[in-house]
Amino acid sequence: MKVLGVIASRYGSSRLPGKALKDICGRPMIWWVYHSIEGAEGLDKLIVATDDQRIVDACNEYGIETVMTRSDHREAANRLQEVSQTIEADYYIQINGDEPLLSQDYIKAIIPRTIDPSIECGANLITKMTNPVEVMDPSNIKVVFDDNYNTCYMSRTPIPYPYRSIEFDYYKHIGIIGYTKKMLDFYATHAPGKFERIEGIATLRFTDYRKELKCIEVKDIDSLSVDTQMDLDRIREVIRVKLDAGELQKHLELMNKGK
């Protein structure tokens, strides 16, 4: 089984334009994302898919393989589908380009033991939320799933609502999703459904059309998404502290070698 990791990175972020190239302790953010994932168990190849030559140039400087994709893709899954037309794999893993502290364990978790590339299916990483502030934040996508971990719905609103019971946990979507090519082809050839249009959550396209999207729970999440300048300032400080504490040895060695 061939597994391709694709870091989807576009330049034109509405809240923080060019964030993939923002400096974090001497390296662009995309460098941190790539080297956090590189070498993950079960991953045969890792590339960056982007729509901007500036990101390509930055990746080339550090020997990171890139694929230039169209600039009119609205969602990362569209970018992956374009990649799948030229790079063959049994399973494609979408990795957000704005989470510099992703763990290789997350990649390992989302790779299935076996996969039938001829069917439409996918998987989505989730984690339990423990901070009420996270639950209320609309940028955290809340996920509801059944007893077999099939995704039922996703929302920016806290769901389910604690009307008759408070004995449950809230879960949020993590920015790592796995697809077969058939699933990517489905996404690219179908218009957004009712709830995707309402919530503005791209992954709802699969639940809107009743496609199989499994939830895979991961624990001890230590990742931060960079959406604003405040997020960037926070991640810079977190990474600086980790470097000083010797917790990012691989990254430090690469930096010392000028890579």
Side-chain angles (χ1 to χ4, degrees):
M1 180 173 70
K2 182 179 178 181
V3 179
L4 176 67
V6 182
I7 302 171
S9 180
R10 65 188 183 92
Y11 190 87
S13 169
S14 58
R15 286 184 286 180
L16 191 62
K19 63 182 177 180
L21 303 182
K22 297 295 185 182
D23 181 83
I24 300 176
C25 299
R27 293 292 185 274
M29 183 165 64
I30 193 66
W31 182 93
W32 290 95
V33 177
Y34 181 88
H35 287 296
S36 293
I37 297 302
E38 183 192 26
E41 183 179 340
L43 192 63
D44 294 291
K45 188 174 183 179
L46 180 63
I47 64 170
V48 172
T50 184
D51 61 353
D52 195 278
Q53 188 61 44
R54 287 166 288 190
I55 295 176
V56 171
D57 292 341
C59 289
N60 287 343
E61 182 179 350
Y62 296 105
I64 297 172
E65 184 176 348
T66 60
V67 173
M68 180 71 85
T69 54
R70 292 183 356 228
S71 61
D72 60 344
H73 291 316
R74 294 183 58 85
E75 306 295 346
N78 293 113
R79 206 172 299 284
L80 261 72
Q81 195 273 339
E82 182 179 344
V83 169
S84 75
Q85 295 178 41
T86 56
I87 303 179
E88 183 178 345
D90 299 302
Y91 203 60
Y92 297 84
I93 300 177
Q94 173 186 315
I95 302 159
N96 284 357
D98 59 3
E99 297 193 34
L101 288 177
L102 289 173
S103 167
Q104 292 185 5
D105 291 339
Y106 307 162
I107 302 300
K108 180 181 177 181
I110 204 168
I111 297 175
R113 293 180 181 176
T114 60
I115 192 71
D116 182 353
S118 68
I119 65 174
E120 296 173 344
C121 68
N124 174 53
L125 286 192
I126 61 170
T127 194
K128 187 186 298 183
M129 289 187 283
T130 57
N131 186 339
V133 175
E134 275 193 304
V135 176
M136 299 307 297
D137 186 347
S139 67
N140 287 322
I141 307 303
K142 274 63 73 172
V143 184
V144 172
F145 50 91
D146 65 19
D147 291 341
N148 294 316
Y149 281 79
N150 296 304
T151 304
C152 298
Y153 192 67
M154 298 181 177
S155 181
R156 298 184 184 278
T157 301
I159 54 172
Y161 184 82
Y163 182 65
R164 289 187 173 176
S165 174
I166 60 171
E167 298 299 320
F168 67 91
D169 296 305
Y170 286 105
Y171 289 84
K172 70 175 179 178
H173 154 81
I174 303 300
I176 299 177
I177 309 174
Y179 310 92
T180 60
K181 177 168 172 43
K182 288 286 187 179
M183 191 72 146
L184 287 170
D185 289 344
F186 159 80
Y187 187 93
T189 55
H190 287 73
K194 175 182 177 180
F195 294 111
E196 180 185 351
R197 295 194 302 271
I198 293 171
E199 294 262 17
I201 300 172
T203 323
L204 279 175
R205 190 166 311 179
F206 302 116
T207 56
D208 277 339
Y209 287 91
R210 302 294 187 267
K211 297 299 177 180
E212 180 183 320
L213 185 67
K214 287 287 186 180
C215 288
I216 299 174
E217 182 181 359
V218 290
K219 301 177 181 180
D220 302 321
I221 289 291
D222 182 23
S223 181
L224 297 171
S225 176
V226 177
D227 296 310
T228 66
Q229 183 63 45
M230 184 179 298
D231 294 335
L232 180 62
D233 293 339
R234 180 172 58 165
I235 201 72
R236 281 170 171 164
E237 178 61 18
V238 168
I239 288 179
R240 185 192 64 77
V241 170
K242 286 181 176 292
L243 285 172
D244 290 344
E247 296 181 26
L248 299 173
Q249 191 61 35
K250 171 187 173 182
H251 298 78
L252 187 59
E253 289 175 0
L254 288 168
M255 294 171 75
N256 288 338
K257 293 178 181 178
K259 296 183 179 180

